[in-house]
Amino acid sequence: MDSTAEFEQLIRKLKAGDQQAATEIFNQYSRRLISLARRKLGPVALKSDPESVVQSVFCSFFLRQQEGRLEVINWQSLWGLLSTITLRKCGHKVDHWLAARRNISREQSPAAQADESWAAWEAIAREPDAAEAAILNETLEQLQQSLSPRDLQIFQLRLENLDVPEIARRLETSERTIRRALEGIEEKIENLDH
């Protein structure tokens, strides 16, 4: 459809709730919008399906169009509106999935998680033998000798499973100081002779 009259007729039908008009618009734009969503989502497409985003775009568009809240004058303005809605919805999805608490770049595949989970359970499923216990004791002694009294206190509190804010409160210092001390302790552990 290229003519303005045909476009206006289609929009009138759409406002009246004509399902065929909605299907016609969906069929004309859905593929291009899915492609746009896939490009905009990037790695987030693993979590937010581009097709689902486009379904949401059409839901929003059809609802607002029927309520008379949108004004489109031709095919080009319709494409501009649909692509803008798509880009905004994709932006919200990207922000959601890349937020610090659920950053997908830190996630692993289910297979990797299963392998690591199994290995972790296997490692704690038995008591250490005498040689392993001796190595652990020797490593802890080496570490304790290399730590300042303050770092040793931080290390012991961390071994008691206290989190950084709690350690900072107990020692009356900043969380940043505790984090730096823990990083230094971790570095010392990595550099110990085993």
Side-chain angles (χ1 to χ4, degrees):
M1 275 191 191
D2 290 330
S3 78
T4 303
E6 288 175 335
F7 178 81
E8 288 172 356
Q9 181 183 8
L10 182 69
I11 294 301
R12 274 194 301 280
K13 287 180 182 178
L14 187 61
K15 283 183 182 178
D18 184 337
Q19 191 61 40
Q20 184 152 355
T23 301
E24 189 174 333
I25 290 173
F26 179 83
N27 289 339
Q28 183 159 347
Y29 290 104
S30 62
R31 284 193 182 111
R32 288 183 2 195
L33 291 172
I34 290 169
S35 176
L36 176 65
R38 187 172 285 116
R39 284 192 313 270
K40 180 68 177 172
L41 289 172
V44 173
L46 297 171
K47 292 289 187 178
S48 292
D49 184 37
E51 288 84 0
S52 297
V53 171
V54 171
Q55 288 290 334
S56 175
V57 167
F58 280 113
C59 272
S60 296
F61 169 74
F62 291 140
L63 179 65
R64 289 185 177 99
Q65 183 64 33
Q66 202 167 24
E67 293 171 347
R69 294 170 52 196
L70 298 176
E71 206 50 52
V72 287
I73 55 172
N74 57 30
W75 292 108
Q76 189 174 4
S77 71
L78 178 57
W79 167 250
L81 178 63
L82 291 172
S83 61
T84 299
I85 296 170
T86 302
L87 291 173
R88 287 184 179 161
K89 286 189 181 275
C90 288
H92 293 306
K93 295 288 186 185
V94 168
D95 289 346
H96 173 80
W97 286 110
L98 295 183
R101 289 181 169 226
R102 65 180 83 74
N103 192 337
I104 63 170
S105 65
R106 295 186 316 217
E107 291 187 9
Q108 297 176 336
S109 70
Q113 287 176 347
D115 288 346
E116 285 184 17
S117 176
W118 177 255
W121 281 109
E122 191 175 273
I124 62 172
R126 62 175 179 77
E127 291 292 320
D129 61 23
E132 290 170 332
I135 291 172
L136 177 60
N137 285 335
E138 184 180 321
T139 303
L140 284 174
E141 283 178 25
Q142 272 185 311
L143 178 62
Q144 289 174 350
Q145 290 171 1
S146 70
L147 295 177
S148 69
R150 178 83 165 181
D151 284 350
L152 182 57
Q153 190 177 17
I154 292 170
F155 179 63
Q156 288 170 338
L157 291 171
R158 190 67 175 140
L159 286 178
E160 292 174 18
N161 209 21
L162 296 180
D163 61 5
V164 171
E166 180 61 28
I167 296 171
R169 274 193 294 280
R170 284 202 184 181
L171 299 180
E172 297 177 348
T173 189
S174 71
E175 290 180 23
R176 184 172 182 212
T177 300
I178 301 301
R179 283 191 184 90
R180 279 193 309 227
L182 289 171
E183 287 171 7
I185 293 167
E186 191 174 306
E187 194 174 302
K188 286 181 180 181
I189 291 171
E190 289 172 3
N191 293 329
L192 285 176
D193 295 328
H194 297 294

